[in-house]
């Protein structure tokens, strides 16, 4: 399944629109423009579906946790980076203030510069010792481009 980012869609629309405006349909609308508009709308819908799917999966992961407590204040994220495959990664550090070893489920939302949700993933940091910290890495489910930011959407200690 192809995943489309806004930048990719705009580039495709621009390039296709500039190179294919010669064929016409019966209603005086260039057929290539109508076709490109349809393809862009379809791709945008698939991109929205991908984000909705990732968010739903994150919700299911949290639903499976029993007796968890809110731990957003215990979690810090590093700076997002782009891996060689185009996926965005970010380091996750969970500090355990409890008196026994705990695990953490952390939902990381990847957004663009305006705050629009691009992807959501859940990373588990297991067996963090009492008074210690543990590390993990959140990795986007698909390639992201542009000004990608990461934030802790929610975190649970269990």
């Amino acid at each position: 399944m192809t995943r489309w980012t806004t930048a990719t869609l705009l580039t495709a629309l621009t390039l296709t629109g500039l190179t294919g405006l010669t064929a016409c349909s019966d209603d005086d609308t260039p057929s290539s423009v109508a076709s490109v508009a349809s393809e862009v709308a379809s791709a945008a819908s698939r991109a929205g579906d991908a984000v909705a799917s990732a968010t739903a999966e994150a919700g299911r992961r949290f639903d499976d946790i029993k007796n968890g407590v809110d731990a957003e204040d215990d979690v810090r994220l590093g700076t997002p980076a782009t891996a060689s495959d185009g996926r965005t990664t970010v380091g996750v550090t969970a500090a355990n203030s409890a008196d026994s070893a705990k695990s953490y489920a952390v939902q990381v939302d990847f957004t663009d510069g305006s705050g629009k949700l691009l992807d959501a993933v859940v990373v588990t940091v297991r067996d963090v010792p009492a008074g210690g910290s543990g590390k993990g890495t959140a990795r986007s489910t698909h390639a992201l481009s542009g000004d990608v930011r990461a934030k802790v959407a929610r975190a649970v200690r269990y």
Side-chain angles (χ1 to χ4, degrees), residues 74 95-102 104 128-132 157:
D74 297 342
N96 184 3
S97 59
D99 57 3
S100 62
K102 299 290 182 182
Y104 290 77
V128 179
R157 181 180 70 213

Side-chain angles (χ1 to χ4, degrees), residues 32-111:
S32 61
V33 172
S35 175
V36 169
S38 175
E39 289 174 26
V40 169
S42 177
S45 175
R46 287 191 306 270
D49 290 347
V51 171
S53 177
T55 304
E57 177 59 26
R60 283 189 289 277
R61 298 264 314 265
F62 279 89
D63 289 344
D64 290 341
I65 297 172
K66 305 298 181 222
N67 300 320
V69 297
D70 178 42
E72 284 184 48
D73 292 340
D74 297 342
V75 177
R76 299 288 176 258
L77 300 179
T79 302
T82 303
S84 61
D85 63 357
R87 293 185 181 194
T88 301
T89 62
V90 65
V92 177
T93 303
N96 184 3
S97 59
D99 57 3
S100 62
K102 299 290 182 182
S103 293
Y104 290 77
V106 181
Q107 179 180 332
V108 176
D109 285 355
F110 292 103
T111 64

